[in-house]
Amino acid sequence: MNSAVFDSPEFLATPPGPQPASMQQPDAAVCFGQQRISVYDVTAIARGEKPVQLTEQADFWQRVDAGVAFLDKLLEEDGVIYGVTTGYGDSVTVKVPLAQVYELPIHLTRFHGCGLGAELTKAQSRAVLATRLCSLSQGYSGVSRDLLAMLLTFLNQDIVPCIPEEGSVGASGDLTPLSYVAGAMIGERDVMFRGQRRPAAEVMAELGLTPLTLRPKEGLAVMNGTAVMTALACLAYERAEYLTRLSSRITALMSLALKGNSHHFDEILFSVKPHQGQNEVAGWIRHDLNHYEHPRNADRLQDRYSIRCAPHIIGVLRDALPWFRYTIENELNSANDNPIVDGIGEHVLHGGHFYGGHIAMVMDSMKTAVANLADLHDRQMALLMDTKYNNGLPSNLSAATPERRFINHGFKAVQIGCSAWTAEALKLTMPASVFSRSTECHNQDKVSMGTIAARDCLRVLQLTEQVMAASLLAAQQGVQIRMQQQELQHDSLIPELQQMLDQLQQDHPLLTEDRPLEGSLRTLIDAIQNQHWALYQES
C-alpha cells in the first residue's frame, strides 16, 4: 500500500485502541448514509448497545431514489442488466423474460438456501445486518427505501436471521449466508426473536410488518457482497486489540512470578528500535513492573525469550492493528455488490467488488499474529511450571503444604491444555486465501476465501483467549506464592495490579489442594471476551 495512506489525517485519526469516552455514547444512534461507520460502531450494534438510523440528508435519498428510477427506466427500455434481466453467474447468457424479472430475486434467495455448519451467534448475525446496511447505504446498489428500512427495522426490533456459517467462498460475495438475510426479509427462513427461534413470517405478522417484495436487483444487492466476512472481521478486530493489552499484563505478572529482570523493558533500550506498537507494549509492561523502584534478580543478566522478547512478539500484532482497521473499515464503507448502479450519472457498471481479498488478507494476517500470542503464553506457562526454570517456585505451581505435596499436581493438566489449544491455533494459521477453488462452471474461477479466513481467525482468537485465561490464573498463583514466600510485597505493586490480583484471588483462591479448574477457566474466558479489565487506558 502507498505509504502516503498511512500519513493521511483519516488514517492517523483511527488509533487501534478503545474509543475515547467522548465517542462512546451508548444511547446515540449510529447513523447510516452520512458518515463513515467504524468497526466499533458495528461491534456496538452487534451487542445491542446502539440503535441505528438512516440519515435525513437530501443528497443521500436523491442517490437512492435515482438508482431505483434508473433501473426502472432500463427495464422499460428492455436493457440488459446482469442479475436483473439475466441469470446469475455462468447463467449470464440466459435472458430472463421481463414478465419473470420480479420472480428472479426470490429464486436467488431460495436456491442459495443450502448453508451448513453451526449458525452465527446473535451478535455475529446482527453485525452482518449492520455491515450489509452500511454497504447498501452507500447508494450505489439500486435498492429501494423499503429495503433499507427493513434492515433498519430488523436491527432496532432485534429480529435476527438464523445464518449458517458455512457455504461461502468469498466471491461472488457471501451469497449463501446472505441468502438467509434476504430470505428472512421476504418472510421466509427462521429468525431469533426474544430468545426463540421462529419463522420470519410469523414474527413479522406479530409486529405488524409486511414482508419485503424484492425489486429486480434487490436479491442480488443483499447477497452479492462481503458483509459476512467483514462483520466477522469487525468483531475479530476488537478482540485482537484487547488481547494485545491483556498479553502485556500477563507478561508483567509472569515476570513478577519468575523474578524476571525488569530492565528488559527499559525505555532507553526500546528507543533504539522504534516500532510504535512494540514500544507501547514495552511501556505497558514497564509501567506494571515499576522497575525503577523494584529492580529484581539483577544477578541474572537475561531472561528467556518468552519474557525478554514479549514486546517484540505482542508488538507485531499491535503495530499491524492500524492497517487492519483501515482495511476493514474501507471494505465496510464500500459498495461491494455487482453491478454498481450510478443512478444520477445513469451508469450500470459491471465488475467484481464482491471479491473479499482485502478481508481475507487481514484475517489471514491477524490470525497468525494472534496465534503467536498463544504460543508466547504457552512458553511462559512452561517456564512457570518447571522447577528448572521458575526460580524457586514449587513444581507445577502447587501451593500444597509440604506433607501434602506428594499427591497434589497443581497446574500440570492446565499446562497440557495450553499446549493443546496453542497447537490447534498454530495449525489454523495456514492462510485460507491461497486455497482458491474454481466454482460455478469456472465463472467464479478465482475466489477470496475471505469468510473461511474470518471464521479461522475467530477460532484462533477463542483458542488464544483460552490460553490467556489459563496463563492469567497461573501467573496470579505464582505471584501469590512469591508473596507467601515474602519475596514480593503486595504494597510494592502499582494500584492497578493490586486491584486485579485481589479480585482474581477472591474469585479464584490459591490452589493449595487439587480441584477442577474448568469453572475458573470458563469464568476468566468470559471476562476476557467481555473485556472485564480496563487495561492501560489512555488519558
Side-chain angles (χ1 to χ4, degrees):
M1 182 179 287
N2 189 331
S3 61
V5 169
F6 293 95
D7 296 326
S8 68
E10 179 183 350
F11 183 79
L12 295 175
T14 55
Q19 301 300 283
S22 61
M23 297 175 65
Q24 293 180 345
Q25 303 175 36
D27 296 326
V30 178
C31 186
F32 289 83
Q34 73 178 35
Q35 65 194 39
R36 187 172 170 89
I37 303 300
S38 75
V39 295
Y40 291 104
D41 291 326
V42 172
T43 55
I45 294 168
R47 291 190 292 265
E49 295 171 354
K50 289 190 176 184
V52 296
Q53 65 185 35
L54 290 164
T55 180
E56 296 180 358
Q57 290 183 350
D59 59 341
F60 167 75
W61 292 109
Q62 180 186 8
R63 192 161 65 247
V64 169
D65 293 340
V68 173
F70 179 50
L71 286 177
D72 286 345
K73 176 182 175 182
L74 289 177
L75 285 173
E76 290 174 3
E77 297 173 354
D78 197 15
V80 177
I81 311 167
Y82 169 72
V84 177
T85 60
T86 74
Y88 300 109
D90 184 64
S91 302
V92 67
T93 56
V94 177
K95 185 172 182 179
V96 177
L98 290 179
Q100 297 178 7
V101 296
Y102 279 86
E103 292 185 68
L104 185 63
I106 300 174
H107 280 259
L108 179 68
T109 69
R110 288 175 177 168
F111 78 77
H112 272 288
C114 56
L116 292 177
E119 290 180 344
L120 299 181
T121 66
K122 177 181 176 179
Q124 290 168 349
S125 294
R126 284 182 57 85
V128 169
L129 292 175
T131 302
R132 201 72 207 121
L133 178 59
C134 189
S135 178
L136 298 180
S137 64
Q138 302 304 307
Y140 294 105
S141 299
V143 300
S144 65
R145 294 182 179 222
D146 288 343
L147 189 149
L148 296 176
M150 185 65 79
L151 282 170
L152 201 75
T153 298
F154 268 43
L155 282 167
N156 286 335
Q157 295 287 341
D158 203 23
I159 305 169
V160 184
C162 299
I163 306 174
E165 65 179 15
E166 295 175 8
S168 174
V169 294
S172 177
D174 289 316
L175 289 167
T176 289
L178 287 176
S179 76
Y180 289 78
V181 174
M185 289 195 295
I186 65 174
E188 301 183 5
R189 313 288 174 88
D190 289 344
V191 297
M192 291 299 296
F193 183 66
R194 295 175 183 169
Q196 292 185 318
R197 185 189 186 105
R198 298 172 59 187
E202 182 182 293
V203 171
M204 296 172 89
E206 183 177 304
L207 296 175
L209 300 173
T210 302
L212 189 68
T213 299
L214 292 172
R215 294 178 55 80
K217 185 185 176 285
E218 289 186 334
L220 196 61
V222 174
M223 294 167 52
N224 189 209
T226 61
V228 175
M229 68 181 81
T230 304
L232 299 183
C234 289
L235 298 172
Y237 175 89
E238 187 181 51
R239 290 167 70 178
E241 193 282 327
Y242 185 72
L243 290 190
T244 62
R245 298 168 182 271
L246 182 61
S247 184
S248 302
R249 173 59 54 82
I250 291 172
T251 296
L253 291 171
M254 288 286 185
S255 180
L256 288 169
L258 291 165
K259 298 175 66 175
N261 185 344
S262 54
H263 292 279
H264 291 322
F265 312 104
D266 185 85
E267 187 172 9
I268 298 173
L269 173 66
F270 276 87
S271 70
V272 302
K273 190 170 185 180
H275 293 296
Q276 181 177 343
Q278 172 187 277
N279 284 353
E280 189 174 26
V281 170
W284 290 339
I285 299 172
R286 184 169 61 248
H287 169 265
D288 282 354
L289 294 178
N290 195 17
H291 78 274
Y292 292 108
E293 296 181 21
H294 303 287
R296 287 176 300 281
N297 225 42
D299 57 325
R300 190 171 71 252
L301 201 60
Q302 295 189 150
D303 291 330
R304 284 168 176 79
Y305 284 14
S306 62
I307 300 297
R308 192 193 340 161
C309 299
H312 309 76
I313 298 162
I314 306 167
V316 171
L317 175 55
R318 191 72 192 171
D319 276 306
L321 287 172
W323 171 66
F324 291 164
R325 181 174 175 183
Y326 179 85
T327 306
I328 294 167
E329 289 182 350
N330 266 358
E331 189 71 34
L332 174 65
N333 290 277
S334 72
N336 48 59
D337 53 315
N338 177 54
I340 295 300
V341 179
D342 173 16
I344 294 176
E346 296 198 336
H347 299 103
V348 175
L349 304 165
H350 296 85
H353 286 351
F354 48 70
Y355 195 89
H358 282 81
I359 296 297
M361 181 58 69
V362 168
M363 292 290 91
D364 278 345
S365 302
M366 186 186 292
K367 71 186 186 184
T368 299
V370 170
N372 265 295
L373 300 189
D375 199 30
L376 169 70
H377 294 298
D378 178 52
R379 297 298 82 213
Q380 291 176 350
M381 282 283 285
L383 295 178
L384 205 58
M385 299 300 118
D386 196 330
T387 55
K388 295 189 295 295
Y389 308 109
N390 65 16
N391 299 312
L393 290 171
S395 178
N396 298 306
L397 285 184
S398 174
T401 58
E403 62 273 13
R404 300 283 296 171
R405 65 183 175 85
F406 306 102
I407 59 172
N408 278 283
H409 295 79
F411 282 76
K412 181 187 285 286
V414 173
Q415 197 262 324
I416 295 171
C418 281
S419 290
W421 306 324
T422 299
E424 185 176 347
L426 295 173
K427 176 178 71 71
L428 289 172
T429 59
M430 176 70 75
S433 55
V434 300
F435 284 93
S436 174
R437 311 292 297 163
S438 182
T439 67
E440 211 258 313
C441 300
H442 295 293
N443 175 59
Q444 301 176 16
D445 61 344
K446 175 68 174 133
V447 294
S448 76
M449 296 298 182
T451 312
I452 294 174
R455 288 171 41 224
D456 281 351
C457 188
L458 290 177
R459 179 59 180 158
V460 169
L461 281 161
Q462 174 69 37
L463 291 162
T464 302
E465 288 158 351
Q466 291 172 191
V467 174
M468 287 197 182
S471 298
L472 186 58
L473 194 63
Q476 72 92 18
Q477 170 97 353
V479 169
Q480 296 294 338
I481 293 173
R482 290 293 182 199
M483 291 179 181
Q484 281 189 341
Q485 295 172 343
Q486 297 186 340
E487 295 176 311
L488 183 65
Q489 301 301 316
H490 183 275
D491 292 344
S492 72
L493 303 178
I494 63 169
E496 299 99 305
L497 276 187
Q498 290 183 30
Q499 182 179 5
M500 188 173 184
L501 286 167
D502 289 347
Q503 182 187 354
L504 287 169
Q505 183 67 4
Q506 179 179 343
D507 296 340
H508 312 284
L510 194 70
L511 188 65
T512 56
E513 286 286 317
D514 289 342
R515 65 176 185 265
L517 292 175
E518 178 187 344
S520 289
L521 291 171
R522 291 191 183 276
T523 298
L524 285 172
I525 293 165
D526 185 66
I528 291 168
Q529 292 176 344
N530 286 287
Q531 302 188 11
H532 175 72
W533 298 282
L535 304 172
Y536 315 115
Q537 297 299 294
E538 288 83 6
S539 59

